[in-house]
């Protein structure tokens, strides 16, 4: 069975400092992993996806995520937070049957 | 290429009324999904479809119905609206023919039942 745990429901960082949003997954298969961002009153936008071609995945807006099979983790990082990064972030795992399993989300606050 | 289009964006219903949330995609995706999002609760799957004529229940199907007569359209029907159905509804699609195919989301429908 597939599942996702986002370890922090809220993260606050100062503008210009690094961002770390943590995600652990459970999967019976070689997983497909995604991060989505949702700005207030908006839909969900794909940030990046793990394709098994490389363990370090680069996404849009300077975000990256590293797949660590031994730790079953897929943490999202960004070297320097921007005010526009304030949003809700979802870690998602999918299985071979195109079923998607969502974490409960991490709300990122960026302090000026 | 509009992606996934949802209508309406906002709707207020009285208890017991019915309505249909529309969803259309122009990417020729075979999989389509309906999710609801409640504050602080993440997304919960209501129904999904693997292709025209095939639908299946998700985690929270009670009070909803769906149909999939074409590849493009996947409407969600609420027959007897209840306050518990106040939520934001998202339609999404994906393509099964490509490994790691992500979900593509519409912009959502914000529904209030009073």
């Amino acid at each position: 069975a597939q599942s996702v745990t986002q370890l922090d429901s809220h993260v606050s960082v100062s503008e210009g400092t690094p961002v770390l949003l943590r995600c652990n997954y459970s999967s019976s298969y070689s997983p497909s992993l995604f991060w989505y961002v949702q700005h207030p009153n908006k839909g969900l936008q794909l940030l990046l996806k793990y394709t098994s071609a490389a363990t370090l995945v680069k996404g849009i807006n300077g975000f990256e995520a590293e797949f660590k099979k031994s730790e079953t983790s897929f943490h999202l990082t960004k070297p320097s937070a921007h005010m526009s990064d304030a949003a809700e972030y979802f870690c998602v795992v999918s299985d071979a049957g195109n079923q998607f399993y969502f974490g409960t989300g991490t709300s990122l606050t960026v302090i000026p | 290429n509009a992606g996934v289009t949802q209508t309406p964006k906002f709707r207020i219903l009285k208890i017991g009324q019915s309505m249909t949330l529309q969803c259309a995609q122009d990417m020729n995706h075979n999989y389509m999904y309906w999710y609801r999002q409640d504050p602080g609760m993440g997304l919960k799957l209501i129904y999904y479809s693997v292709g025209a004529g095939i639908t299946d229940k998700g985690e929270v199907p009670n009070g909803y119905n769906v149909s999939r007569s074409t590849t493009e359209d996947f409407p969600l029907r609420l027959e007897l609206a209840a306050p518990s159905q106040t939520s934001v509804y998202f339609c999404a699609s994906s393509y099964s023919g490509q490994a790691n195919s992500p979900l593509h989301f519409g912009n959502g429908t914000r529904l209030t039942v009073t």
Side-chain angles (χ1 to χ4, degrees):
Chain A
Q2 277 62 242
S3 67
V4 174
T5 302
Q6 291 185 242
L7 298 168
D8 307 289
S9 59
H10 296 92
V11 170
S12 292
V13 299
S14 296
E15 189 176 16
T17 65
V19 175
L20 170 63
L21 305 182
R22 299 182 294 165
C23 172
N24 285 353
Y25 70 91
S26 172
S27 176
S28 304
Y29 307 93
S30 179
S32 297
L33 293 159
F34 310 86
W35 275 98
Y36 284 83
V37 60
Q38 184 182 28
H39 288 93
N41 300 313
K42 299 291 186 183
L44 282 79
Q45 180 185 16
L46 180 67
L47 269 181
L48 50 81
K49 65 178 182 180
Y50 168 65
T51 62
S52 77
T55 56
L56 184 62
V57 182
K58 294 186 182 297
I60 62 172
N61 301 333
F63 283 94
E64 294 182 345
E66 186 171 10
F67 173 71
K68 292 187 176 180
K69 186 175 181 179
S70 61
E71 299 177 9
T72 61
S73 70
F74 190 56
H75 300 337
L76 183 70
T77 61
K78 183 174 181 178
S80 176
H82 191 272
M83 294 300 295
S84 61
D85 295 328
E88 190 86 13
Y89 291 80
F90 293 94
C91 183
V92 182
V93 63
S94 72
D95 62 18
N98 276 64
Q99 292 304 306
F100 293 81
Y101 303 87
F102 286 77
T104 52
T106 298
S107 177
L108 176 65
T109 299
V110 182
I111 303 165
Chain B
N1 191 338
V4 179
T5 303
Q6 289 184 241
T7 56
K9 292 184 179 180
F10 304 94
R11 184 71 185 267
I12 299 174
L13 283 181
K14 295 187 184 298
I15 295 171
Q17 286 185 322
S18 62
M19 76 164 294
T20 299
L21 282 66
Q22 301 291 346
C23 176
Q25 54 93 7
D26 62 359
M27 297 173 284
N28 202 30
H29 286 172
N30 48 345
Y31 280 70
M32 295 187 75
Y33 311 77
W34 275 105
Y35 292 91
R36 60 177 287 172
Q37 183 179 33
D38 301 311
M41 300 296 288
L43 275 75
K44 294 186 177 180
L45 181 64
I46 305 171
Y47 270 96
Y48 68 100
S49 169
V50 303
I54 306 170
T55 63
D56 209 344
K57 296 178 180 179
E59 182 182 1
V60 290
N62 292 341
Y64 307 93
N65 278 299
V66 293
S67 60
R68 184 95 180 271
S69 57
T70 66
T71 299
E72 294 77 18
D73 300 299
F74 190 42
L76 177 71
R77 178 81 177 165
L78 283 71
E79 290 294 349
L80 291 170
S84 61
Q85 293 177 306
T86 294
S87 189
V88 181
Y89 293 84
F90 289 100
C91 179
S93 69
S94 71
Y95 178 56
S96 67
Q98 179 184 4
N100 310 111
S101 178
L103 281 169
H104 298 257
F105 284 90
N107 286 329
T109 295
R110 187 174 297 274
L111 176 66
T112 301
V113 182
T114 61

